[in-house]
Amino acid sequence: MICQRIVCCGKKLARRASRVRARGMTDELKSLYEFLRFPSISTDSAHAADVRACALWLQGKLTQMGLSVELHETARHPIVVARNQHRQDRKTVLIYGHYDVQPVDPVSLWDSPPFEPEIREGKIWCRGATDNKGQMLAHVLGVEKTLREEGDLPVNLIFLFEGEEEIGSPNLAPFLREHAAELRCDVIAVSDTGMVGPGVPTMGYGLRGIACAEVTLRGPKGDLHSGVYGGAVANPATALARLVASLHDAEGRVAIDGFYDDVAPLQAWEREMWQKIPGVSDADFLAVTGSPATFGEVGYSAAERVWARPTAEVNGMGGGYQGEGSKTVLPAQAFAKFSFRLVPNQDPQDILAKVKAHLEKHCPPGVSIEIELGHDGKPYHADPHSDFGKAAQRALKKAFGREPVLIREGGSIPIIQAFREILGADTLLLGLALPDCQIHAPNENFPVANFEAGIVLNQHLLRELAL
Ligand code: BES
Ligand code: ZN
């Protein structure tokens, strides 16, 4: 009890100290704090008003910078578009970001309240600090700084910010189709990915695609006493365990028929290049994850499996008694949620059809199966050595003072491939997240140094892209 009070008191003192320091904060950090305080959780309808308030704040910020701003309503959360005065003789750069964030639970695991930003150990701790508000605002503030210092930008700029990325951007692709002419651009820049380590400038040239599905197995019409009925009828939780186990073979390969049919093989030059990148060895993956061993498809390093190979993951499983102690019950049903990460040239719809066929074929006897297919998005892959790719690398080098590394990303931003298909433009992925920024998890954080570097990076980027 006493211990708890001391810990609590210590935390309060630390918080007060950080508030005191906050008074001496830069204007940039003050803006970020304001932006972060909105609990803009897109998946939770209880937070719809907060998401909207966040969009309105953004509209105000961009307007005050002298840009012309539009707020477009959608079936759920608004899209914010802002532009400078466009001229015929300049290139057009579209910068995309998202102002929505992931849910915060489990709240008890946060060391400070998830929507009260504070700085400790040189990092800003808050939900959305990295994914994506900190990275996104660095772009906005870089533009603000250039406008203040030079009175103009070297390019025609379009800011496109959405509030639905974390729920699969359901309204953005239709918006792109409807407004394709106004959104026409030469290239797109996005800071919503990672750096391989502190101070190592990192350009992404690929993202994995995604396909989600959920399965429910049903047995008896209600929960049963496991002594009275166990052995007489199938247990849906046991059946689920067998079904989930059927997704992989013993060597970590996905065992769904045809799953690898369209996979573009990892290129020799990429493998060679990635082997030289610091901070992405199997030992580094162990250190950052805290797992006792790496595991996955045989013949690939951890980084290769994440960046260039498709995977099947269970994101959640449930059924039966979850409380303290034991309860002798035979559950009436059990469920699992899956996501599949995809690489070029896999097609999410084709994969979902194969997943469905696999689940139906391998469903154990004695239970019924219901499969619900979820959202999906295509993988993305671009040439890192294009003219724009080279320009982005020059900007990264200027901002961080060293040669950038080139990687593909394991995460997904499905709208990036839609940009290419609808707007005809490629995307430069200029990530600022570190491996331990804990995006989507409790204690998300963003180093102040990365935020500041991001502002400078944006300034160099627009200059280099203009050439
Ligand atoms: N910023 C992430 C994507 C990301 C993170 C890419 C790190 C590369 C490195 C984005 O906000 C995200 O979380 N995307 C979702 C996909 C979406 C359809 C739910 C993801 O990857 O799970
Ligand atoms: Zn995210």
Side-chain angles (χ1 to χ4, degrees):
M1 193 62 186
I2 292 170
C3 269
Q4 247 177 0
R5 273 229 307 272
I6 292 171
V7 171
C8 181
C9 220
K11 276 187 188 163
K12 267 191 200 145
L13 282 176
R15 228 167 280 149
R16 194 174 313 146
S18 92
R19 271 200 296 271
V20 172
R21 274 199 303 279
R23 281 190 216 122
M25 277 194 319
T26 60
D27 288 344
E28 278 96 353
L29 275 172
K30 278 187 202 150
S31 282
L32 180 57
Y33 269 41
E34 286 179 21
F35 191 28
L36 286 172
R37 284 197 183 101
F38 296 97
S40 50
I41 303 170
S42 49
T43 195
D44 186 349
S45 53
H47 282 286
D50 298 314
V51 181
R52 193 181 167 72
C54 190
L56 291 172
W57 179 88
L58 201 53
Q59 183 185 29
K61 175 79 201 166
L62 297 164
T63 307
Q64 166 239 309
M65 283 163 53
L67 303 177
S68 70
V69 189
E70 298 152 16
L71 188 137
H72 295 265
E73 300 295 347
T74 75
R76 271 179 96 169
H77 306 305
I79 294 167
V80 179
V81 181
R83 292 181 175 75
N84 62 343
Q85 187 73 47
H86 285 200
R87 288 193 342 224
Q88 287 281 314
D89 59 337
R90 295 195 296 207
K91 292 196 182 113
T92 301
V93 178
L94 185 149
I95 295 178
Y96 161 85
H98 63 95
Y99 64 87
D100 63 320
V101 299
Q102 285 274 324
V104 295
D105 45 306
V107 179
S108 61
L109 296 184
W110 286 77
D111 292 334
S112 52
F115 290 105
E116 290 178 28
E118 57 181 61
I119 296 173
R120 304 189 302 269
E121 302 145 31
K123 298 168 181 181
I124 307 144
W125 301 80
C126 193
R127 168 57 85 234
T130 293
D131 185 8
N132 173 231
K133 288 174 172 172
Q135 298 191 70
M136 183 193 134
L137 197 70
H139 274 302
V140 172
L141 298 179
V143 165
E144 183 179 45
K145 198 154 177 257
T146 303
L147 285 173
R148 200 173 45 235
E149 289 169 356
E150 291 164 27
D152 197 5
L153 298 175
V155 297
N156 299 329
L157 175 75
I158 304 172
F159 273 139
L160 174 64
F161 298 135
E162 69 159 321
E164 299 185 339
E165 194 274 347
E166 299 292 6
I167 51 172
S169 304
N171 291 299
L172 191 53
F175 179 84
L176 296 181
R177 274 183 220 107
E178 204 181 315
H179 297 270
E182 304 126 70
L183 296 172
R184 218 180 38 230
C185 56
D186 296 295
V187 68
I188 296 165
V190 176
S191 291
D192 191 23
T193 52
M195 291 168 70
V196 296
V200 187
T202 305
M203 188 174 90
Y205 61 95
L207 289 159
R208 285 198 290 185
I210 189 167
C212 298
E214 189 169 340
V215 63
T216 306
L217 300 187
R218 293 193 176 84
K221 61 180 188 276
D223 284 2
L224 300 172
H225 187 292
S226 64
V228 177
Y229 294 103
V233 293
N235 182 324
T238 311
L240 183 72
R242 288 178 58 191
L243 187 56
V244 168
S246 76
L247 286 175
H248 294 92
D249 68 15
E251 300 203 300
R253 260 176 84 84
V254 178
I256 296 172
D257 277 347
F259 186 76
Y260 292 95
D261 281 358
D262 300 318
V263 170
L266 169 64
Q267 302 292 302
W269 67 268
E270 294 182 289
R271 177 166 259 182
E272 207 180 302
M273 176 173 76
W274 291 348
Q275 276 164 357
K276 296 187 197 124
I277 297 180
V280 297
S281 68
D282 281 21
D284 293 308
F285 273 82
L286 287 185
V288 80
T289 59
S291 291
T294 59
F295 179 76
E297 210 185 337
V298 170
Y300 296 92
S301 70
E304 288 167 353
R305 288 181 200 136
V306 171
W307 294 345
R309 301 295 296 170
T311 48
E313 294 296 341
V314 180
N315 301 127
M317 277 172 83
Y321 181 60
Q322 313 277 326
E324 194 181 335
S326 59
K327 177 174 188 257
T328 48
V329 68
L330 193 160
Q333 56 182 47
F335 73 89
K337 290 170 186 272
F338 306 109
S339 61
F340 301 84
R341 296 285 170 168
L342 313 177
V343 298
N345 301 306
Q346 288 176 299
D347 173 63
Q349 287 300 318
D350 173 63
I351 291 297
L352 283 177
K354 288 171 173 161
V355 166
K356 191 165 180 282
H358 176 97
L359 294 173
E360 279 163 355
K361 183 171 156 198
H362 289 83
C363 180
V367 292
S368 70
I369 183 166
E370 187 192 326
I371 300 165
E372 203 183 316
L373 303 181
H375 65 75
D376 65 70
K378 291 180 184 167
Y380 176 76
H381 187 268
D383 173 13
H385 307 299
S386 66
D387 286 347
F388 286 130
K390 285 185 198 148
Q393 289 169 58
R394 289 196 301 273
L396 282 164
K397 187 174 176 185
K398 286 186 173 159
F400 288 91
R402 59 188 274 192
E403 217 52 65
V405 299
L406 308 180
I407 67 164
R408 293 203 238 163
E409 287 283 4
S412 309
I413 312 176
I415 203 66
I416 303 294
Q417 177 61 18
F419 283 149
R420 175 188 276 158
E421 288 172 13
I422 301 168
L423 303 179
D426 275 354
T427 297
L428 305 162
L429 299 164
L430 306 162
L432 299 170
L434 292 182
D436 64 354
C437 282
Q438 307 190 133
I439 59 173
H440 292 205
N443 296 320
E444 179 174 351
N445 65 87
F446 191 42
V448 177
N450 288 31
F451 178 55
E452 286 167 353
I455 295 171
V456 176
L457 172 62
N458 172 275
Q459 297 192 281
H460 288 301
L461 179 70
L462 296 191
R463 259 180 241 131
E464 295 297 335
L465 292 178
L467 297 178

